[in-house]
Amino acid sequence: MGNREDLLAGARRCLEEKGYLRTTVRDIATASRVSMAAIGYHFGSREALLNQVLFAAIDEWSEAVGGLAGEGETAEERFADMWDRKVRNFGELRWLWIANVEAFVHAQSSPELLAALAAGQRAARPHVASLLRGVPESEVAPADARSLGSVQIALMTGVMVQTLTDPEQAPTGRELVAGLRGLAELLEDRSAARTPPGSGPADEWHS
């Protein structure tokens, strides 16, 4: 391998062992057996190198798992199984998801990284919506991308953080299904319980 490939491999090892925020230029150079100056020459900065390695690892994960599609006879069983697989994956690739969280924190003071993360998030919405719908991404309606895609990403981020924080108490797929059903019921109850015209406080004030 050349210096560029050595740096990519070394930065990957550093991400796995030390994380995004704690990895230094010296760490990468030592792991790569390449001079620190080579990082600037090939990538411009430590941040640019780590970003490239992190995004490549995410793409690699995405292609390998194929969205972690679940198995089962019903849609509910497949959805629950999909989440059980994701929770296991969060534990197996703990380094990758912690690096993701650290990159998000760092992005708040790095406009370039924040823009890259935002672009990835926008692209992920229609992709995950297509997986849920079971249709090609080109057939996903913009409204589905915004609704289904956003909710699924929110679930993924939240469940990931819960799993990394307290693995023994990570929610199961069935618990997530039950929670989503409970939220849907709450929304239906709130809608049905709207105050009929003429019986609200404003009407009483005017009477």
Side-chain angles (χ1 to χ4, degrees), residues 152-176:
Q152 183 76 339
I153 291 173
L155 275 174
M156 183 169 177
T157 303
V159 173
M160 175 189 71
V161 171
Q162 290 181 61
T163 304
L164 295 177
T165 303
D166 190 3
E168 298 302 319
Q169 293 297 318
T172 66
R174 289 192 177 277
E175 287 171 337
L176 290 171

Side-chain angles (χ1 to χ4, degrees), residues 8-78:
L8 289 168
R12 169 71 175 252
R13 286 195 296 273
C14 288
L15 270 185
E16 293 179 2
E17 296 169 5
K18 305 194 69 171
Y20 188 98
L21 294 177
R22 291 174 55 224
T23 293
T24 66
V25 169
R26 185 176 298 279
D27 291 331
I28 298 171
T30 300
S32 308
R33 297 184 179 180
V34 176
S35 71
M36 289 188 285
I39 295 174
Y41 176 78
H42 288 286
F43 297 96
S45 67
R46 159 199 167 277
E47 177 183 300
L49 171 54
L50 288 179
N51 292 348
Q52 183 168 329
V53 171
L54 178 59
F55 295 151
I58 294 171
D59 289 342
E60 178 185 309
W61 166 81
S62 181
E63 292 178 7
V65 301
L68 291 179
E71 298 180 355
E73 294 184 1
T74 67
E76 181 176 314
E77 290 174 346
R78 290 191 293 273

Side-chain angles (χ1 to χ4, degrees), residues 121-207:
Q121 184 171 274
R122 288 193 293 270
R125 288 192 184 107
H127 176 66
V128 297
S130 73
L131 294 175
L132 291 173
R133 286 291 191 192
V135 299
E137 193 170 324
S138 59
E139 296 180 17
V140 173
D144 269 359
R146 291 290 299 176
S147 57
L148 284 175
S150 295
V151 169
Q152 183 76 339
I153 291 173
L155 275 174
M156 183 169 177
T157 303
V159 173
M160 175 189 71
V161 171
Q162 290 181 61
T163 304
L164 295 177
T165 303
D166 190 3
E168 298 302 319
Q169 293 297 318
T172 66
R174 289 192 177 277
E175 287 171 337
L176 290 171
V177 168
L180 288 172
R181 287 194 181 280
L183 282 174
E185 290 171 3
L186 285 172
L187 291 173
E188 289 176 3
D189 287 346
R190 296 277 176 86
S191 177
R194 286 177 181 166
T195 306
S199 61
D203 296 293
E204 294 174 3
W205 186 82
H206 283 294
S207 61

Side-chain angles (χ1 to χ4, degrees), residues 98-115:
I98 290 177
N100 260 286
V101 174
E102 291 182 331
F104 168 77
V105 172
H106 179 64
Q108 306 314 302
S109 58
S110 172
E112 183 178 353
L113 177 56
L114 189 63

